[in-house]
Each structure stands twice: as structure tokens, then as C-alpha cells.
Amino acid sequence: MRLRIEHITTFSYDLPISEAYTEMRLAPMDVGGQRRTHFSLRTEPSGEVTRYLDRYQNEVYYFDVLQSHKQLQVIASSKVLTTEQFVDEQRELSPLDQYDYLTPTRYAPEHELMHEMAEANVVVGNKIATAYALMNAVHQAIQYERGATDVKTTAAEALQIGKGVCQDYAHVMLAVCRLSGLPARYVSGYLYSPNAPEMASQAWVDVFVTEHGWRSLDPTHNCPQDARYVRVA
């Protein structure tokens, strides 16, 4: 699928500020069959934009706006060719990646509820089936509801109230996969829907299965990544 994306971020302030230094990850990745054919990022007021790659190979764009302003807009424009299936050739993880992708975090912590879900959905001898079972369990456990959670909500809190948005589904999925011994990482990007007035931001999860590589799964919609998804970071 060929998609064109314009992402506008607006920062507004009560009083004028003299400087704004910001880092943003908004460039679609060239990975897993996805191909970016164009990307540009500019600011209003204008500032010099520079980029670097972080440890996870995400493109980080940073800029310093030195003009006095009460509002700052960041306009990121992309053209992307997506693929029907995420394809990954990595078959082994480094010790550092193993540690990063198996360790509980503040937002995906160890918790009794997560242990119960993980244990109930293990498919003995089949890690891929376990990953899909966990995705389905998370999808069934949480009802999608905007405003029920916020950016500080942890996986345990979302699971306790049984409501949340895509980041909550992803955090719970991360936690239960890691407790099941499946390395997992958070993915952020966009999800295209032809019936929606605009493309929405989306969060989902990559799960690593030894000898099979990364499998990209979306517990919010209970499906693997397909051509509707655009990976950003």
C-alpha cells in the first residue's frame, strides 16, 4: 500500500519563550518490508533540524528554535510503501537485547495479574502459538475506551480497570510476553483506516521467537501487522 502522511505537532505556551530544544521520532522506518520514499521535517518558527540514529536504529530529529515564540509547529511529511506482512531476518538476539526485551519496566512491570495471564496462555512447546494466545488474551481483557487511562498508566493499572487505549494494550502485552520468556519490544507508528477522517497513531508489539525472528502483533485489534500499519519507532 502506498501512503502519504502529514503529522503536525503543535506546542502552545501561555507566555512567549526564548528557546525550544526538542527531539522527535517521526520518520517511518525502512525495515521489515516497509520502504520510505520521502521524509521531511520542518518547524514554524524555523530552526535548524539535525538527525542521528539511536541504539534501536530509530531516526531521531532534533532542533533548536532560538526565536521568541508562543507557539511552535513541527510538520513531518512522509511517503511510505507498506507490506502485507512484517518480514524479519534476525534469528538471534545479542545479550544486551535479551536483557532489554525481557526485563520488566515501570510501565510493563511484574504483577500477579500479569503472571496469571501469562501462565494461563502458555502453549507448551509452541512459542509462536503462545505469542498469539497472549495477544488474544490481552485483547479480551481490556475494553478500548479513550480517557480511561493516561500516559502515566501502567500495564497493571490498565489490566485492573479493564479499560484503555492502544498503549495500554501494548504495555500489558509486553509484560505478559516477557514473563513468558518471550522477548518483546514496543512499536509506535500509524494505522490507516479508509473510513477514518485521518490516520491515527498506533502502538503494538514485536515478539521474538527463536529461529523464527520477530513477529509483529497488535493486541488492540487482535491481529498481526499488515499493510495498514506504518512503523515509526
Side-chain angles (χ1 to χ4, degrees):
M1 186 181 296
R2 188 184 301 269
L3 297 171
R4 183 175 65 85
I5 305 162
E6 183 171 78
H7 186 137
I8 300 175
T9 306
T10 303
F11 300 92
S12 298
Y13 308 97
D14 293 332
L15 297 172
I17 64 171
S18 58
E19 182 178 6
Y21 178 84
T22 308
E23 290 190 349
M24 305 188 82
R25 292 164 173 81
L26 291 172
M29 304 179 79
D30 279 309
V31 67
Q34 175 177 293
R35 186 161 67 89
R36 183 182 71 220
T37 59
H38 167 80
F39 179 77
S40 65
L41 186 146
R42 60 185 175 87
T43 66
E44 296 179 1
S46 62
E48 182 179 359
V49 179
T50 315
R51 63 178 284 275
Y52 69 90
L53 292 178
D54 67 15
R55 189 185 95 69
Y56 303 102
Q57 300 303 300
N58 301 311
E59 288 190 40
V60 183
Y61 286 76
Y62 62 98
F63 51 86
D64 198 356
V65 176
L66 299 175
Q67 306 173 45
S68 176
H69 59 278
K70 288 185 65 177
Q71 179 174 288
L72 169 65
Q73 278 199 331
V74 183
I75 301 97
S77 300
S78 309
K79 292 180 181 178
V80 188
L81 293 174
T82 61
T83 180
E84 283 295 339
Q85 182 178 359
F86 178 72
V87 179
D88 178 76
E89 296 181 355
Q90 185 177 4
R91 294 295 178 264
E92 294 184 3
L93 295 180
S94 69
L96 179 57
D97 283 345
Q98 284 275 359
Y99 176 82
D100 279 351
Y101 299 139
L102 284 172
T103 302
T105 67
R106 175 183 175 186
Y107 292 106
E110 282 196 63
H111 189 276
E112 182 181 353
L113 289 175
M114 249 75 76
H115 275 287
E116 291 175 358
M117 179 178 286
E119 292 170 2
N121 289 280
V122 170
V123 180
V124 178
N126 192 329
K127 292 184 177 181
I128 292 179
T130 296
Y132 275 83
L134 290 170
M135 176 179 68
N136 182 65
V138 174
H139 179 75
Q140 297 296 329
I142 300 176
Q143 176 184 342
Y144 190 93
E145 183 175 316
R146 292 182 179 178
T149 58
D150 58 35
V151 295
K152 296 181 180 180
T153 302
T154 68
E157 292 167 341
L159 199 54
Q160 285 173 326
I161 65 174
K163 298 177 181 178
V165 292
C166 60
Q167 71 178 18
D168 303 301
Y169 287 82
H171 285 149
V172 175
M173 181 79 174
L174 282 176
V176 296
C177 283
R178 291 174 178 181
L179 289 173
S180 301
L182 294 170
R185 63 189 181 190
Y186 190 99
V187 182
S188 130
Y190 305 105
L191 176 61
Y192 171 70
S193 173
N195 298 319
E198 50 188 36
M199 181 176 279
S201 296
Q202 183 68 18
W204 63 100
V205 173
D206 284 346
V207 183
F208 189 82
V209 180
T210 304
E211 298 181 357
H212 295 277
W214 291 102
R215 297 299 174 102
S216 199
L217 305 176
D218 179 4
T220 306
H221 296 90
N222 202 23
C223 68
Q225 177 189 324
D226 57 31
R228 299 171 298 159
Y229 292 78
V230 176
R231 299 170 70 92
V232 172

